[in-house]
C-alpha cells in the first residue's frame, strides 16, 4: 500500500509563500495530486503531476501562484505556494492516483492519501 506523508504547512501572512512536501513510498506508477479542504466543505483537487511525463494540471484558483514538481530521486512531490491569500487557508492533502488532468483530479480517482497539513493565511 502506498504511503504518503505531507509536511511544510504553517501560518503565513497574506502575500507570503510556503512549500509543501509529500514523501511517497511508491513513486513511479502514480500521479500525485494535491487537494485541500476547509472544515464543512468538500475536499477539492487543486493540482497534480503525472508519473509518465511530469505533466501538470492546476485549477484556476491557484494557476500562476502555485507550482507542483516532483523529485524522483527523493520520492517527493512539492507544492510551492506563492502570493497566498486568506482563502487558501485549509488542510492540504497529497494523494496518489490514476492520472492527472481535469477529469482525473477528483476524489474518485485518487486512492491513497496522506494525513494532511494545515495552512493558515492570516495577518
Amino acid at each position: 500500500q502506498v504511503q504518503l506523508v505531507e509536511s511544510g504547512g504553517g501560518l503565513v501572512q497574506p502575500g507570503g509563500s510556503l512549500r509543501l512536501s509529500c514523501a511517497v513510498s511508491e513513486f513511479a506508477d502514480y500521479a500525485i495530486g494535491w487537494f485541500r479542504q476547509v472544515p464543512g466543505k468538500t475536499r477539492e483537487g487543486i493540482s497534480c503531476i503525472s508519473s509518465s511525463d511530469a505533466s501538470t494540471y492546476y485549477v484556476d484558483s491557484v494557476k500562476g501562484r502555485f507550482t507542483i514538481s516532483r523529485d524522483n530521486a527523493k520520492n517527493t512531490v512539492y507544492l510551492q505556494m506563492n502570493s497566498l491569500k486568506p482563502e487558501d487557508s485549509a488542510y492540504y492533502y497529497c494523494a496518489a492516483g490514476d492520472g492527472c488532468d481535469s477529469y482525473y483530479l477528483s476524489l474518485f480517482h485518487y486512492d491513497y492519501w496522506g494525513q494532511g497539513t494545515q495552512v493558515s493565511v492570516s495577518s
Side-chain angles (χ1 to χ4, degrees), residues 9-102:
L11 173 65
V12 64
Q13 292 187 341
S17 298
L18 280 176
R19 188 177 78 158
L20 304 183
S21 299
C22 174
V24 186
S25 63
E26 297 179 35
F27 204 55
D29 296 330
Y30 295 96
I32 303 297
W34 283 99
F35 295 73
R36 66 186 181 187
Q37 187 171 22
V38 175
K41 294 192 176 181
T42 303
R43 192 172 298 185
E44 63 166 346
I46 59 171
S47 182
C48 55
I49 188 165
S50 71
S51 60
S52 56
D53 60 1
S55 59
T56 59
Y57 172 78
Y58 303 90
V59 295
D60 287 345
S61 59
V62 306
K63 196 176 295 183
R65 299 188 299 123
F66 292 9
T67 302
I68 191 170
S69 61
R70 62 193 293 158
D71 185 334
N72 291 337
K74 295 183 178 180
N75 280 20
T76 301
V77 171
Y78 303 99
L79 185 69
Q80 178 67 43
M81 305 187 296
N82 299 328
S83 302
L84 283 162
K85 305 174 182 180
E87 52 264 43
D88 294 316
S89 298
Y91 282 88
Y92 283 70
Y93 300 86
C94 64
D98 297 334
C100 176
D101 57 23
S102 59

